Amino acid sequence: MRIPPFARYQRLLASFGIFVSGAIVGSAVYMSIHQHTYNELYVQMHKYLEENHDLRADIDNLNKTKNKQTLINVINVHLLPKSQTDLISEDIQKEIEGDVKGELKLVIGQKATTVRDSQALYERLITQRTYFLHDKKYVVEVKSIILIQTEMTVWITAEEKKT
């Protein structure tokens, strides 16, 4: 039996190798674009779900207290960056804001004068609280609490705690 010379297939094998390499590089580029797009959609979906949840909670709270104008109806929480170098991703910011809002849920339905007189209590409730999100610890501090008519607004900062 005679074996054909390898020189006949040398160019064919080189062309096949270049084709396979191009397919691998092309699929890697495609997957990176796909993952980037998927990540953006996930963050956007999470933001819309959080907004939907907040709006539904606001509607429920407003329906509970629609005839009582001196009660707290809405709680707004805003997370400010502690410094320009310690920026937190948007989905973690929303989770921290939601957790703080959950802590302050007991304020809804209380009289505005009672809440105004005990702002220090609510500040101590949130300050130095540690939240565990995505295998990281975040420590929250209150910057300010403002009470305007039936709406309570809280500005907080969060810092990743290194362990």
Side-chain angles (χ1 to χ4, degrees):
M1 176 180 220
R2 190 167 160 234
I3 299 175
F6 182 70
R8 289 175 62 185
Y9 302 110
Q10 192 172 10
R11 291 190 65 138
L12 181 65
L13 283 175
S15 299
F16 182 71
I18 289 173
F19 176 76
V20 169
S21 299
I24 291 172
V25 169
S27 64
V29 169
Y30 172 76
M31 281 306 294
S32 68
I33 291 170
H34 177 72
Q35 285 292 55
H36 177 72
T37 305
Y38 183 77
N39 189 32
E40 285 182 1
L41 285 174
Y42 174 77
V43 168
Q44 193 175 27
M45 180 198 68
H46 187 67
K47 182 172 61 172
Y48 287 144
L49 286 175
E50 187 69 30
E51 183 180 353
N52 186 11
H53 175 71
D54 291 343
L55 291 174
R56 287 185 187 272
D58 288 345
I59 287 171
D60 290 342
N61 294 332
L62 290 172
N63 283 337
K64 274 194 263 182
T65 60
K66 65 183 173 186
N67 294 331
K68 302 172 186 170
Q69 293 299 321
T70 60
L71 301 181
I72 299 295
N73 294 328
V74 179
I75 297 176
N76 294 323
V77 178
H78 301 288
L79 180 66
L80 302 172
K82 190 150 190 142
S83 66
Q84 292 298 332
T85 59
D86 296 336
L87 295 177
I88 299 173
S89 67
E90 189 174 329
D91 57 335
I92 293 177
Q93 285 180 0
K94 293 296 181 188
E95 288 185 39
I96 291 173
E97 288 174 359
D99 290 345
V100 171
K101 206 176 216 185
E103 295 282 335
L104 292 174
K105 204 172 224 179
L106 59 104
V107 174
I108 294 176
Q110 291 186 4
K111 291 186 177 183
T113 56
T114 307
V115 174
R116 186 187 65 226
D117 293 340
S118 58
Q119 277 187 357
L121 171 70
Y122 299 118
E123 186 173 333
R124 277 187 269 140
L125 181 68
I126 302 168
T127 300
Q128 296 300 320
R129 174 81 48 144
T130 303
Y131 295 101
F132 296 97
L133 301 169
H134 302 287
D135 300 327
K136 295 180 183 177
K137 291 180 182 179
Y138 294 94
V139 178
V140 174
E141 292 184 22
V142 175
K143 285 293 183 186
S144 65
I145 298 176
I146 295 177
L147 188 63
I148 301 173
Q149 293 182 353
T150 63
E151 184 175 329
M152 181 176 179
T153 305
V154 180
W155 279 277
I156 59 172
T157 61
E159 183 177 29
E160 184 178 345
K161 186 175 184 182
K162 309 287 187 211
T163 55

